[in-house]
Amino acid sequence: MEAPDSILAIDIGNSSIHAGCFVDIPTMTGGRQPPLPAPVVSQAWTSEGPVPNDPMPPNAVTMNTVWVVASVNRAGLQRVRQWHDSVAPSCPFIVLARDAFSLAIDVRHPDRVGIDRLAAATAANRLRPKGRSAVVVDAGTAITVDALDSRGCFLGGAILPGVGLMARSLSTWTDQLPLVECDLGNQSAPAIGKQTVEAIRGGITWGIRGAVRALAQQIQTELGDTESPIFVTGGSGRHLTSGWPSATFIPQLTLAGVVIAYLETASRPGT
């Protein structure tokens, strides 16, 4: 197989699409794991509606770019495929399935695990110190807090509503509570709200922060390693790690996992 000029990794979530262009992928040297691949450029846009005109910078996508996609949103996947067909129809367009990941999975229904969770866990495995377990947090539309054991096996984890889902659920399923915009980065959100909007904003902001940290701590306890590294990604991830010194924010963790999965698949005999 001819080596591509670049890999365009795309993570299609429920509310946003993230794309990153990867070149000069690091390889294993001296028997050591290579560092995590990093995009030379990345962009994000909403999953709703058509893909924006020219979502990536000029020359980021060539006629020898491999498009590799991880998707949990069928409508978003269709839009991205249409974008591909309009700008680079001759380029390979690969939608990752679960068998693309060499990651060991120990859950009751492996076929139901989200591709984005597997991609983030695959990248976290490259960062995880040998012989140590790890916690992987992806703070998107939904927030996942997952566990990797000391062998790098994906054990599952917890799922809870993200900021937008929590705010909309309060508005939708109550008679008088309003829809309130919340931001996990709002450090001034009061825990003692003096009116309804403040109370909702404080409840969501500090509730999510506390829930994620409690889940990460509980996973560490169940793993038997209270100092397991915690890797955080996703749209709200930077805000979650603020004031949380034991957690590391890695914005392109999922995209890096998409690239790693593609490279592992491409290196298998017969591919």
Side-chain angles (χ1 to χ4, degrees):
M1 177 186 294
E2 181 183 357
D5 292 334
S6 60
I7 299 170
L8 182 63
I10 306 175
D11 173 27
I12 305 174
N14 288 299
S15 59
S16 63
I17 297 173
H18 296 260
C21 184
F22 292 75
V23 297
D24 299 326
I25 310 298
T27 57
M28 183 177 293
T29 56
R32 293 176 295 180
Q33 277 278 39
L36 206 64
V40 294
V41 63
S42 62
Q43 300 281 9
W45 59 91
T46 178
S47 295
E48 298 178 0
V51 174
N53 292 329
D54 301 322
M56 297 295 289
N59 303 320
V61 180
T62 73
M63 289 300 103
N64 193 27
T65 295
V66 174
W67 296 50
V68 188
V69 180
S71 176
V72 296
N73 183 328
R74 288 171 290 184
L77 174 60
Q78 183 177 9
R79 296 186 187 103
V80 168
R81 189 183 291 274
Q82 290 170 346
W83 170 40
H84 163 272
D85 293 347
S86 68
V87 300
S90 62
C91 290
F93 186 87
I94 300 168
V95 181
L96 296 179
R98 285 164 184 81
D99 61 4
F101 297 89
S102 59
L103 186 74
I105 305 173
D106 182 13
V107 299
R108 290 193 181 92
H109 301 285
D111 57 312
R112 300 181 187 177
V113 180
I115 292 293
D116 51 348
R117 295 171 73 186
L118 297 181
T122 294
N125 250 341
R126 185 165 289 189
L127 298 173
R128 176 183 58 83
K130 186 175 181 180
R132 295 291 303 276
S133 56
V135 179
V136 186
V137 179
D138 190 347
T141 303
I143 300 173
T144 56
V145 187
D146 291 322
L148 292 169
D149 70 11
S150 59
R151 302 165 298 158
C153 179
F154 179 87
L155 302 179
I159 303 174
L160 67 153
V163 175
L165 286 179
M166 198 172 289
R168 286 196 294 275
S169 68
L170 284 174
S171 175
T172 300
W173 297 106
T174 63
D175 183 38
Q176 298 186 43
L177 293 182
L179 179 61
V180 177
E181 287 191 11
C182 298
D183 180 359
L184 290 185
N186 183 7
Q187 297 283 354
S188 64
I192 304 174
K194 296 297 186 182
Q195 44 96 352
T196 301
V197 170
E198 287 183 351
I200 292 174
R201 188 166 287 139
I204 292 175
T205 300
W206 298 112
I208 288 178
R209 282 174 170 268
V212 171
R213 295 188 189 195
L215 283 167
Q217 183 178 29
Q218 181 60 28
I219 286 174
Q220 289 175 321
T221 298
E222 293 183 20
L223 288 170
D225 184 356
T226 58
E227 295 185 359
S228 298
I230 302 168
F231 304 114
V232 182
T233 193
S236 298
R238 187 183 303 276
H239 301 315
L240 277 178
T241 54
S242 175
W244 191 10
S246 58
T248 303
F249 176 59
I250 305 170
Q252 309 301 344
L253 189 71
T254 304
L255 290 180
V258 170
V259 172
I260 293 169
Y262 163 73
L263 293 174
E264 290 179 345
T265 301
S267 66
R268 292 173 187 169
T271 60

